[in-house]
């Protein structure tokens, strides 16, 4: 019986480490998105204020995720793994973002294409799934997830408005 309890504790510890690793990777993704938007603000002066406002919100998301990691680490008993993320998928997203940052800096992405890309990023699975990784009733954690989700929805709408304005010639 004692052996079985030890094995369960080890699995829980491994699952907790994996969960924290995934959440850390998601934090990195948010910081890369902020870096992409920062590069966009530098590339298109006419949109600088728009991009810099969005950078600030992406950095806030990364900071929220840092807090989420601390909450999970401090109170792991309040969390159940809901839907595991494939770390390979997250690494692929990270590589794609890094490549797009370079492409913006090199002038290889048009202004309109960047807004389309940003809209797609905001609509992507990685952005929408923070609340699906774990099940919890921890209010602080849920509030952070809800804030990221609401901001992300607003970002997507803002990108769509920018795309519409560009197509209308504004």
């Amino acid at each position: 019986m004692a052996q079985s309890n030890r094995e369960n504790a080890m699995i829980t510890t491994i699952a907790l480490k994996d969960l924290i690793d995934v959440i850390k990777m998601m934090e990195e993704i948010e910081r890369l998105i902020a870096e992409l938007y920062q590069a966009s603000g530098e590339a298109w002066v006419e949109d600088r204020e728009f991009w810099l406002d969005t950078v600030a919100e992406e950095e806030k998301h990364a900071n929220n995720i840092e807090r989420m990691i601390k909450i999970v680490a401090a109170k792991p008993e309040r969390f159940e793994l809901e839907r595991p993320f494939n770390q390979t998928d997250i690494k692929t997203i990270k590589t794609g973002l890094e490549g797009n940052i370079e492409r913006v800096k090199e002038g290889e992405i048009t202004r309109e294409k960047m807004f389309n890309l940003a809209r797609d990023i905001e609509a992507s699975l990685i952005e929408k799934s923070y609340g699906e990784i774990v099940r919890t009733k921890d209010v602080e954690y849920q509030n952070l997830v809800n804030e990221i989700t609401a901001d992300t929805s607003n970002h997507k709408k803002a990108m769509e408005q920018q795309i519409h304005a560009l197509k209308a010639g504004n």
Side-chain angles (χ1 to χ4, degrees):
M1 186 76 164
Q3 177 69 23
S4 176
N5 287 340
R6 248 186 315 211
E7 286 174 9
N8 289 340
M10 190 162 77
I11 291 169
T12 303
T13 302
I14 290 168
L16 177 64
K17 182 194 176 310
D18 288 347
L19 172 60
I20 289 174
D21 286 349
V22 167
I23 298 173
K24 283 180 181 177
M25 292 173 87
M26 295 171 88
E27 177 192 350
E28 284 181 60
I29 296 292
E30 292 289 350
R31 294 202 189 281
L32 283 170
I33 293 169
E35 188 178 337
L36 176 62
Y37 294 171
Q38 177 75 38
S40 299
E42 293 167 9
W44 296 285
V45 179
E46 62 270 39
D47 301 319
R48 179 167 286 147
E49 187 176 331
F50 173 85
W51 287 117
L52 293 182
D53 288 346
T54 311
V55 165
E57 290 196 354
E58 294 298 337
E59 289 173 347
K60 179 182 74 172
H61 294 174
N63 292 335
N64 283 1
I65 294 169
E66 273 185 40
R67 287 176 49 206
M68 290 161 59
I69 292 167
K70 289 176 183 170
I71 293 167
V72 170
K75 307 178 242 178
E77 70 282 357
R78 293 188 180 183
F79 296 86
E80 291 179 47
L81 209 49
E82 185 73 11
R83 187 174 69 80
F85 255 85
N86 183 329
Q87 290 191 19
T88 304
D89 290 348
I90 296 173
K91 288 175 184 172
T92 300
I93 292 166
K94 183 179 170 189
T95 301
L97 286 168
E98 291 166 342
N100 285 324
I101 291 166
E102 289 309 309
R103 290 175 59 211
V104 167
K105 288 179 178 178
E106 298 295 323
E108 297 173 6
I109 295 179
T110 66
R111 182 176 173 221
E112 185 175 352
K113 183 169 179 147
M114 184 55 224
F115 281 116
N116 281 295
L117 178 62
R119 178 202 54 211
D120 293 347
I121 288 168
E122 297 295 337
S124 73
L125 178 65
I126 191 80
E127 284 280 317
K128 292 192 291 191
S129 299
Y130 294 117
E132 297 174 10
I133 298 171
V134 295
R135 185 179 330 154
T136 185
K137 291 183 180 172
D138 187 278
V139 175
E140 184 180 6
Y141 185 94
Q142 288 178 336
N143 287 341
L144 293 168
V145 168
N146 291 340
E147 184 177 344
I148 292 170
T149 303
D151 286 350
T152 298
S153 177
N154 290 334
H155 294 173
K156 182 177 178 255
K157 289 175 191 165
M159 298 306 167
E160 288 170 346
Q161 289 171 346
Q162 292 290 333
I163 292 164
H164 181 71
L166 279 173
K167 287 183 178 177
N170 298 338

